[in-house]
């Protein structure tokens, strides 16, 4: 079992590290491969508690110029974002990419869901 699975970039100059958990990893990986993006690392967190904090910080320190992001499919007020942000706030400057806050876990409309998913993926790699 590996707490953190890292899909390394294909260059020494990494501009972003995307931490995520769950299904969004596969969407990110598909976009990365489709667009031939080689300066972004995707790191899948396989265990949220206890969070592999030391491994995540170690990865970020290997690439000090890279922006560090947490990407999730859920709304910002759901999912793991607040949990992750609270644990790294003073140790690592990590920003979040998620759907806007919502009282519901899903939009209820496939078209809206796909549009929101596209915004998340675009923001992750821009």
């Amino acid at each position: 079992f590996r707490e953190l699975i890292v899909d390394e970039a294909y260059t020494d100059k990494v501009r972003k590290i995307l931490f995520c958990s769950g299904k969004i990893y596969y969407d990110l990986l598909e976009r990365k491969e489709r667009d031939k993006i080689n300066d972004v690392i995707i790191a899948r967190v396989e265990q949220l508690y206890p969070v592999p904090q030391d491994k995540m910080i170690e990865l970020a320190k290997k690439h000090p110029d890279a922006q560090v992001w947490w990407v999730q499919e859920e709304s910002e007020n759901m999912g793991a974002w607040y949990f992750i942000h609270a644990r790294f706030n003073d140790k690592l400057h990590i920003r979040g990419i998620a759907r806007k806050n919502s009282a519901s876990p899903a939009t209820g409309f496939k078209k809206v869901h796909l549009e929101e998913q596209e915004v998340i993926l675009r923001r992750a790699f821009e």
Side-chain angles (χ1 to χ4, degrees), residues 13-71:
K13 188 164 173 99
V14 174
R15 68 181 172 90
K16 278 189 178 183
I17 299 171
L18 304 175
F19 288 106
C20 64
S21 184
K23 177 193 161 297
I24 192 76
Y25 167 77
Y26 298 100
D27 294 336
L28 292 167
L29 182 62
E30 180 182 319
R31 178 63 53 98
K32 179 179 175 177
E33 290 174 349
R34 184 195 83 183
D35 294 350
K36 296 176 177 49
I37 298 168
N38 61 5
D39 58 354
V40 173
I41 292 173
I42 303 171
R44 186 171 56 185
V45 179
E46 291 291 299
Q47 175 175 294
L48 289 172
Y49 192 83
V51 69
Q53 194 168 347
D54 294 340
K55 292 177 182 172
M56 293 170 73
I57 291 170
E58 181 181 320
L59 176 61
K61 284 184 178 178
K62 280 186 191 174
H63 308 283
D65 296 330
Q67 295 177 355
V68 180
W69 295 85
W70 176 264
V71 184

Side-chain angles (χ1 to χ4, degrees), residues 96-111:
I97 298 173
R99 286 178 164 76
K100 62 183 171 124
N101 286 342
S102 175
S104 173
T107 66
F109 298 101
K110 183 176 182 178
K111 182 180 178 185

Side-chain angles (χ1 to χ4, degrees), residues 47-124:
Q47 175 175 294
L48 289 172
Y49 192 83
V51 69
Q53 194 168 347
D54 294 340
K55 292 177 182 172
M56 293 170 73
I57 291 170
E58 181 181 320
L59 176 61
K61 284 184 178 178
K62 280 186 191 174
H63 308 283
D65 296 330
Q67 295 177 355
V68 180
W69 295 85
W70 176 264
V71 184
Q72 68 181 30
E73 218 174 344
E74 299 87 1
S75 302
E76 190 174 62
N77 61 321
M78 298 181 192
W81 167 237
Y82 286 135
F83 175 80
I84 293 294
H85 187 259
R87 271 138 191 88
F88 290 97
N89 194 27
D90 60 339
K91 299 171 188 79
L92 185 66
H93 183 67
I94 189 166
R95 294 175 267 187
I97 298 173
R99 286 178 164 76
K100 62 183 171 124
N101 286 342
S102 175
S104 173
T107 66
F109 298 101
K110 183 176 182 178
K111 182 180 178 185
V112 174
H113 170 78
L114 294 174
E115 289 170 358
E116 290 175 346
Q117 195 76 352
E118 179 59 30
V119 169
I120 289 170
L121 295 173
R122 195 172 334 113
R123 284 184 61 208

